[in-house]
């Protein structure tokens, strides 16, 4: 899979992209992440990429010209246009189903906003999808793009050591439950004991206890959700 990141701050990325799982994914050639500096597509002597909003208001917007020229130049390097994703607070909320969908793409182009965001014609001209990683405002889309790359890359076939661990992750099973508590040594820490069932060696009881804990944790986090009710219809399992 190839992932392009369009940003005014490419220097923010290399340390993160070299990190453990992502670094291994790139070294193996399974995920090819490339950075493009939007400034390289600015025109005029001032290499301007932003301008004031029509109708007034605070701050500056990314101009459509440089962003569209940059994405189209990247698309020209490849037979298919790929999915173009704009990271912006008003976008579709990123969740594990969307991450799974992205992980099946041959190519993603992630465009990071700065200032107050983008001229609305960027999305229209590129047929881009707007995505948000959560309801808070960042100073730009770079941190959100890193979240997308990290979540997507670990699902690309061959990247994770075991497919089993991806299947068992929070939000990933048939019911998309969060994981319950987990324990490692020591058996007692500051008077807090590991639940006896986990030391019982009874794998049936352990699985039942874990499912109960996952249901309780999911319900605590989102009491309105129906994923923990007995009548819930699970979605199709990924893979
Ligand atoms: C902030 C451009 N929820 C994620 C997210 C994504 C992008 C931005 N904020 C939040 C953002 C300022 C300028 C993009």
């Amino acid at each position: 899979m190839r992932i392009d990141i369009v940003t005014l701050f490419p220097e923010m990325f290399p340390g993160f992209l070299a990190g453990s799982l992502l670094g291994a994914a790139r070294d193996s050639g399974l995920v090819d992440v490339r950075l493009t500096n939007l400034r390289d597509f600015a025109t005029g002597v001032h290499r301007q990429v932003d301008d004031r909003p029509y109708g007034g208001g605070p701050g500056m917007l990314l101009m459509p010209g440089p962003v569209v020229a940059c994405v189209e130049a990247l698309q020209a390097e490849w037979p298919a246009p790929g999915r173009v994703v704009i990271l912006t607070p008003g976008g579709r909320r990123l969740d594990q189903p969307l991450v799974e969908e992205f992980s099946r793409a041959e190519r993603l182009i992630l465009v990071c906003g700065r200032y107050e965001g983008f001229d609305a014609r960027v999305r229209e001209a590129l047929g881009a999808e707007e995505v948000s990683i959560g309801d808070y405002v960042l100073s730009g889309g770079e941190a959100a793009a890193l979240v997308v790359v990290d979540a997507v890359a670990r699902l690309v076939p061959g990247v994770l050591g075991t497919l089993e661990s991806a299947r068992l992750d929070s939000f990933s099973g048939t019911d998309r439950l969060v994981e319950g508590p987990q324990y490692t040594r020591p058996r007692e820490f500051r008077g807090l004991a590991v639940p006896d069932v986990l030391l019982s060696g009874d794998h049936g009881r352990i699985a039942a206890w874990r499912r109960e804990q996952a249901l309780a944790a999911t319900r605590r986090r989102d009491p309105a959700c129906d994923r923990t009710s007995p009548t819930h219809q699970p979605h199709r399992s990924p893979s």
Side-chain angles (χ1 to χ4, degrees), residues 145-192:
L146 286 174
V147 167
V148 173
V149 171
D150 190 88
V152 168
R154 61 189 288 287
L155 294 187
V156 170
V159 168
L160 263 195
T162 76
L163 284 167
E164 181 73 353
S165 67
R167 198 174 59 72
L168 295 177
D169 281 328
S170 288
F171 314 116
S172 301
T174 344
D175 302 326
R176 301 200 174 280
L177 305 178
V178 300
E179 285 184 86
Q182 303 189 87
Y183 301 85
T184 184
R185 295 195 299 176
R187 280 178 66 157
E188 191 178 304
F189 175 72
R190 296 194 178 176
L192 304 168

Side-chain angles (χ1 to χ4, degrees), residues 87-89 113-117 131-141 144:
L87 285 317
T88 187
R114 278 273 147 183
Y115 315 112
E116 298 302 308
V131 169
S132 165
I133 61 165
D135 290 349
Y136 36 80
V137 181
L138 303 169
S139 52

